[in-house]
Amino acid sequence: MSTYTTPATVASDNGTTFNVMVTNSASSATSASATLTVNGSSAITITTHPVSQSVTIGQTATFSVTATSGTLPLSYQWQKNGVVIASATSSSYTTPATTILDGGEKFTVVVTNTTGTVTSSAATLTVNPSPAVDVVTYHNDAGRTGQNMNEVVLTHANVSSATFGKLDSSPWTAWWMPSRSIFQT
């Protein structure tokens, strides 16, 4: 009697066929083929769940997952607050440009193979408002001295939304702000 032991098998060895040829001085014979079945874990395991993201309004956020299984292929379906996101079927998902209304949304992914499904833990999207930007204005240098001694930095604290950028009722249009007028006829 003779035996053959394979090296350690992997999922890709599944379906491999083996046969043996026996010879002696008078003749030879070949056995029927035997097919190797590799029994591995077919259960899906999520090894890296999506991570919560924090972005500024207008930016996108990307969520990703890593999953393994002895039975391939794996398929993916992303969800937002439990609702399927159309065409979001890869191991990562990038949101469209965000708005403040997207803040607090929860993203999960359902990973599926022929033996079952598993859902990732939820990742939360935080959307932050755009940071305030100060505006530096330069005042008219009527004397053409090249010096601007009255520069003002406009901030939320020193600009009145009631007057900044309002139009004058005179025959010309005037845009004005403290210490400066720009006239257009």
Side-chain angles (χ1 to χ4, degrees):
M1 179 163 176
S2 183
T3 62
Y4 172 72
T5 303
T6 67
T9 58
V10 295
S12 62
D13 292 332
N14 193 47
T16 301
T17 58
F18 293 87
N19 56 33
V20 63
M21 183 187 317
V22 180
T23 60
N24 66 17
S25 59
S27 68
S28 66
T30 301
S31 71
S33 293
T35 301
L36 175 65
T37 300
V38 177
N39 294 320
S41 172
S42 58
I44 300 166
T45 302
I46 294 180
T47 55
T48 306
H49 286 266
V51 176
S52 294
Q53 302 288 318
S54 182
V55 297
T56 301
I57 290 174
Q59 292 180 322
T60 61
T62 299
F63 299 96
S64 61
V65 67
T66 304
T68 60
S69 173
T71 302
L72 299 175
L74 297 176
S75 62
Y76 305 88
Q77 179 60 67
W78 286 90
Q79 299 178 345
K80 178 172 139 180
N81 296 327
V83 177
V84 167
I85 303 170
S87 301
T89 56
S90 69
S91 61
S92 66
Y93 170 69
T94 300
T95 67
T98 56
T99 70
I100 200 70
L101 299 176
D102 294 319
E105 305 287 3
K106 305 241 184 256
F107 292 84
T108 56
V109 60
V110 177
V111 184
T112 305
N113 66 9
T114 57
T115 63
T117 33
V118 65
T119 302
S120 72
S121 58
T124 302
L125 177 61
T126 301
V127 180
N128 300 304
S130 297
V133 177
D134 292 339
V135 177
V136 177
T137 65
Y138 297 95
H139 298 274
N140 188 11
D141 181 12
R144 306 282 187 242
T145 64
Q147 295 182 2
N148 183 354
M149 306 309 273
N150 298 314
E151 183 176 312
V152 174
V153 176
L154 300 180
T155 66
H156 290 286
N158 67 7
V159 173
S160 167
S161 61
T163 57
F164 185 77
K166 298 292 182 180
L167 297 178
D168 187 3
S169 61
S170 58
W172 55 82
T173 306
W175 294 273
W176 65 275
M177 61 192 102
S179 303
R180 180 177 182 193
S181 292
I182 304 172
F183 294 99
Q184 178 182 17
T185 57

